[in-house]
Amino acid sequence: MSLTFFTIVLLGLACTGYVMGRRRAMALARSQTAALHSRPVYHGWYVALACGLPAIVIWVAALTIGDQLIESAIIASLPQELRDASGPVLNRFLADAETLAKGGQPAIDVTPALVAASERFGNLRTLEHWIGFAGALGLGLIGFGLAYRRLSTALRVRQPVERLLMFVLLLAATASILTTVGIVFSVLFESIRFFSQVPIFEFLFGLQWSPQIAMRTDQVGSSGAFGAVPLFAGTLMVTFIAMLVAAPIGLMSAVYLAEYAHPRFRAGAKPMLEILAGVPTVVYGFFAALVVAPALRDAGASIGLLVASESAIAAGSVMGIMIIPFVSSLADDALAAVPNALRDASLGLGATRQETITRVVLPAALPGIVAGLLLAVSRAIGETMIVVMAAGLAANLTANPLEAVTTVTVQIVTLLVGDQEFDSAKTLAAFALGLVLFIITLGLNVIALRVVQKYREKVE
Amino acid sequence: MVAVTQATARERDASHADAITIPAERLPELGGPVKMKARGLKLWYSDKQALAGINLDVPERKVTAFIGPSGCGKTTFLQCLNRMNDTIEGVRIEGDVTLDGADVYDRSVDVVQLRARVGMVFQKPNPFPKSIYDNVAYGPRIHGLATNRGDLDGIVESSLQRAGLWNEVKDRLGEMATGMSGGQQQRLCIARTIAVSPEVILMDEPCSALDPISTARVEELIDELRDNYTIVIVTHNLQQAARVSQLTAFFHLGRLIEVNDTAEVFQNPGESMTKDYITGRFG
Ligand SMILES: Nc1ncnc2c1ncn2[C@@H]1O[C@H](COP(=O)(O)OP(=O)(O)OP(=O)(O)O)[C@@H](O)[C@H]1O
Ligand SMILES: [Mg+2]
């Protein structure tokens, strides 16, 4: 009795409930003088839910309780020496019995005891599913019958149905919020563990970053250094270079699109920009690593400049290109939101188009543009793939954009790649970096949203 | 059924063959100088004709009112006077419009200068989201009318004074213009237009978004401005046209049906269509 089969049967039952409930309600409305309190649809939902919900609850309950019972039953039937075995061994054995019962390949040797256990397991499982199914179906039918018989023109079914619907929506909303909160807290707690090993002051202001911790205590360089300033500086530099590329080009293209371009051109170009924004960043990453970085290095060499083959400038400029559509699209929205009446007012006073743009349209759109830029910055800071591929891994505190730098995101990746002990300072450092990243981008987003909100109030 | 719809469609189209539009020689004597002149002005929005050869003289330092049912081309004609519809996609214009005898559609004419001479006040108040001061100073700044801050202050003050707004706003010139009441905003827009010292002011239903008290103030203002400016006003409010204008032009389906002294048009309309419109029988 598989889950799929159960789902199909249950859905069929609920659909039937819906159709019959609705039809009954319409029939009631026709045959009686009193008007229906709730629309027929609600009656349909009422019956469907009355049979579907209890059935689901029973099914879930039967399986949960059933699994417990099966496990204890199997353990009770095991030979003495297995029953006395340690927890992990017993669990391994049970898991393998289950695998075998499902026709899989167990990891331990197939012993007669295992075969017996797996057969038992299979039988009990089938029994459990049948009982669960029968219970669910029975209760579903009872719910169906009761609800169906209760239907009348005066029955107020709308309220309970709508309340239930609201509850479902609420559940969805809280699920997403709770997940976020859960992630934040786990990052926070791991960071606190990290800070109990490495002082927060050293982390935030230390100039030395070499997280390699020796495997053996007698190895050289056994103490890692967790000063994150080189990472912050690297992130800052790459972001700055990216914005240096993205802000002017993005803004100018937005002004062209919003103010000069033919509407037909704009209608075509805007979706194209949005597609560009959807190119996976790993594609930009290898573009940066394989095309831009070597080109920059060769160009540098030809004028006698030493450009590292992984450099801040290569990563930053490609990241800038990646962000252009983002900036351009948001700025274009901000410009398009400026009412035409303002443009007419300015033109009507004898201003040229260019004066109108620089003195009226851009100032009016400025908050929206600033918000767009802030969002772009927060994206640049959080961007990982391009810098992993093109910026470098060595923590290098430098102000020279031609050298390799590393960023917070790159270090998080390198700290977590490969086999790690989960509670070493090295792994925990990734959480601390993640926390910093989270706080910065959250801050930027909050500021950007507030700016947009303020601006909206002002325009309306 | 079909025939009827076709006939109505034909009637609605301004290019209709029997179009009666006033020929130039039948325009009334103005008894004063003519500021702007339109001759045989036709305008198409893509294939749709909106003006069917308009002849009209706009008298200097007087108020001319345009009336007529919605969609008859009042706004379209008004915008031809300072070429505000140049930028609209697919507009085609034939005929002449002159300002002091010079063709405004001539190649040599700079629209920017034209619009400095023929200013416009829009239906909905549209102050810039800047301070009150900056709104009025906007035009003088772009046209370089003031050489120093003192001059600019002077222009701003006199414009606000002439728009009857000075006393209300003199203590809060730095505040956002968008925070004022609708009536104040519209008078600010008028002040903003006056600040570039235009010769003609075009107003497209300037009071349609205002309450009666603000409307009365704007009407008073128009009356005062008439001494120094040539004013053309589009209005749906016939009493307003009767109160503020000296000349009234009645448009219908892209044609100019009647133009005459305001008193004459309202008391003794020459065309039955005009009579029907002002007595509220259609439109
Ligand atoms: N931008 C445009 N594109 C296409 N057709 C237009 C455009 N503007 C106006 N029209 C059409 O031209 C005709 C005249 O319009 P116009 O705005 O001049 O009328 P109006 O007399 O000002 O009307 P109202 O009193 O409602 O403001 C109308 O049929 C209108 O639909
Ligand atoms: Mg109009």
Side-chain angles (χ1 to χ4, degrees), chain B residues 149-264:
Chain B
R149 182 77 190 199
D151 282 0
L152 195 59
D153 288 348
I155 295 177
V156 169
E157 177 173 347
S158 70
S159 306
L160 284 169
Q161 226 141 26
R162 274 193 275 174
L165 200 58
W166 177 249
N167 288 330
E168 288 162 63
V169 302
K170 64 174 179 236
D171 300 322
R172 51 184 191 120
L173 290 175
E175 281 175 30
M176 287 293 283
T178 37
M180 302 198 294
S181 78
Q184 287 175 325
Q185 287 186 9
Q186 193 62 305
R187 278 181 287 143
L188 179 72
C189 290
I190 294 174
R192 184 174 67 181
T193 307
I194 297 173
V196 293
S197 323
E199 297 157 38
V200 182
I201 302 177
L202 310 175
M203 301 185 175
D204 193 355
E205 302 179 42
C207 301
S208 63
L210 305 187
D211 65 290
I213 293 173
S214 307
T215 301
R217 303 214 49 169
V218 172
E219 285 181 12
E220 265 168 48
L221 175 60
I222 293 171
D223 216 42
E224 287 159 22
L225 293 175
R226 157 161 73 96
D227 297 339
N228 297 302
Y229 305 94
T230 300
I231 294 173
V232 182
I233 177 173
V234 172
T235 178
H236 277 284
N237 179 338
L238 298 177
Q239 283 83 25
Q240 182 173 63
R243 280 192 299 262
V244 300
S245 73
Q246 285 76 55
L247 192 78
T248 295
F250 172 63
F251 287 78
H252 183 60
L253 294 182
R255 307 188 296 269
L256 180 62
I257 305 297
E258 177 160 1
V259 54
N260 215 335
D261 286 347
T262 298
E264 198 68 10

Side-chain angles (χ1 to χ4, degrees), chain A residues 172-210:
Chain A
T174 32
S176 69
I177 293 172
L178 284 183
T179 329
T180 317
V181 171
I183 292 173
V184 171
F185 272 96
S186 83
V187 170
L188 192 67
F189 287 139
E190 299 300 327
S191 304
I192 290 172
R193 280 175 69 193
F194 172 72
F195 290 129
S196 69
Q197 297 181 24
V198 176
I200 189 164
F201 187 83
E202 187 193 321
F203 174 73
L204 288 179
F205 301 103
L207 301 183
Q208 190 65 38
W209 177 266
S210 58

Side-chain angles (χ1 to χ4, degrees), chain A residues 158-177:
Chain A
R158 190 178 63 228
Q159 284 83 345
V161 168
E162 288 201 331
R163 212 170 309 135
L164 199 81
L165 193 71
M166 195 204 71
F167 183 72
V168 170
L169 297 179
L170 183 76
L171 216 64
T174 32
S176 69
I177 293 172

Side-chain angles (χ1 to χ4, degrees), chain B residues 70-71 73-76 123 204-205 234 236:
Chain B
S70 190
K74 304 180 296 291
T75 300
T76 304
Q123 177 170 357
D204 193 355
E205 302 179 42
V234 172
H236 277 284

Side-chain angles (χ1 to χ4, degrees), chain A residues 262-264 341-353 355-356 359-360 363-364 458-459, chain B residues 82 84 89 112 115-116 118-120 122 126-130 138 141-143 176 178 192-193 196:
Chain A
H262 191 282
R264 234 176 299 150
L342 293 184
R343 294 189 184 85
D344 287 345
S346 172
L347 293 174
L349 285 167
T352 63
R353 203 138 165 210
E355 283 165 342
T356 303
R359 292 177 185 230
V360 176
K458 212 173 72 184
V459 166
Chain B
N82 73 344
M84 276 302 277
E89 189 70 20
V112 168
R115 288 177 194 154
V118 184
M120 187 146 201
F122 296 83
N126 53 358
F128 300 127
K130 299 170 185 279
Y138 182 82
R141 276 187 179 136
I142 57 173
H143 293 295
M176 287 293 283
T178 37
R192 184 174 67 181
T193 307
V196 293

